[in-house]
Amino acid sequence: MPLPGDAAGLVATVGRQVRAARTFHVELVSVGEDGSRLTAGGDARTDTPAPAAQLTITDEGTTYAVLLDGAAYVRDQNAEVEPGRPWARLARSDLTAVAPSGTPDPRAGAQAADLRRMLSTLLDGVDRAFRQITADTGLAIVRAGSVSGKPADERVDGRTAHRFTGETATNAVPGDDEIAALGRAGVAKLPWKLWVDDRGLPLRFTVSLGRRGSLTTTYTRWGAPVTIQAPPANQVASIG
């Protein structure tokens, strides 16, 4: 497949092929300015009306997440939402429902606040990881930037790939609060590299976040069978 040399054309081609492939496996490594690492890995579908993915996110602890039919199922390895129910099914609108019932009790109120914070933190991590593991974040950065020179042919995990190199101004990426925060912190440019195979499918994307760290996403198993299922109902606590 011919690959356009300009950023907008390249993103349009890759985005179309990503949707046509329907499924993929992904591994993400995010390195912070202090050397801390966040990793996320899992499978996703691109042929569903709402996001569909199952992820394992490892930071200071491990979080498991399933996105399916417009709902997020989240599990923290170190905590249960309810006894015997380690999974929470929730959306941000559900967090207001985490409150004690009956006569107000300061201890119950504090426990509810702690639970809201934990669930909100889990949702933040899931949302961030999902934007990053799909091509959304990478393609948004590439679309808003420019390609430098011609692509170079390289091997990525034993496959032929065309490496595109470019740079994007931080303030040119619309609608991304994290990138906007980088701009406010003084990171003006985002140098990136995108490896694309002969089918127009991304194999790897890397972006430097300046002194704030870097992000590397690797894609494999395009089009392979993927089944994404909700956790067993008897293990799920509904917050809403």
Side-chain angles (χ1 to χ4, degrees), residues 33 128 131 170-188 190 209 211-212:
E33 60 184 322
R128 181 170 61 252
R131 289 195 307 272
T170 309
N171 61 9
V173 184
D176 192 308
D177 293 340
E178 289 185 87
I179 293 178
L182 288 174
R184 292 192 296 271
V187 179
L190 302 173
L209 307 178
R211 64 179 181 276
R212 291 302 180 98

Side-chain angles (χ1 to χ4, degrees), residues 20-223:
R22 302 177 62 183
T23 64
F24 62 90
H25 180 81
V26 63
E27 298 290 339
L28 174 145
V29 178
S30 175
V31 180
E33 60 184 322
D34 59 354
S36 61
R37 292 167 65 89
L38 178 146
T39 65
D43 299 305
R45 303 195 67 95
T46 65
D47 59 351
T48 55
Q54 49 196 16
L55 306 172
T56 300
I57 306 163
T58 303
D59 193 353
E60 294 180 356
T62 300
T63 301
Y64 305 94
V66 176
L67 301 178
L68 186 66
D69 298 331
Y73 300 85
V74 184
R75 176 185 176 185
D76 185 330
Q77 70 169 5
N78 297 318
E80 288 187 333
V81 181
E82 294 177 2
R85 295 177 182 264
W87 291 90
R89 182 190 188 278
L90 73 162
R92 293 199 182 277
S93 58
D94 296 331
L95 295 180
T96 57
V98 183
S101 58
T103 304
D105 181 327
R107 290 171 298 177
Q111 290 171 350
D114 288 343
L115 181 56
R116 281 197 300 271
R117 280 192 293 270
M118 182 193 79
L119 295 176
S120 181
T121 299
L122 289 177
L123 270 179
D124 288 344
V126 172
D127 287 348
R128 181 170 61 252
F130 186 79
R131 289 195 307 272
Q132 293 171 343
I133 65 108
T134 63
D136 293 354
T137 295
L139 292 184
I141 292 173
V142 173
R143 182 187 296 111
S146 58
V147 176
S148 302
K150 295 182 178 180
D153 289 346
E154 294 182 353
R155 302 287 288 179
V156 174
D157 296 330
R159 301 181 61 182
T160 300
H162 312 285
R163 187 198 71 211
F164 292 83
T165 301
E167 188 176 72
T168 301
T170 309
N171 61 9
V173 184
D176 192 308
D177 293 340
E178 289 185 87
I179 293 178
L182 288 174
R184 292 192 296 271
V187 179
K189 301 288 185 180
L190 302 173
W192 50 261
K193 295 178 182 178
L194 174 65
W195 288 261
V196 182
D197 71 9
D198 288 332
R199 299 173 295 172
L201 292 170
L203 300 182
R204 183 178 297 161
F205 175 74
T206 66
V207 59
S208 171
L209 307 178
R211 64 179 181 276
R212 291 302 180 98
S214 64
L215 182 69
T216 300
T217 312
T218 303
Y219 301 93
T220 57
R221 305 180 206 166
W222 287 102

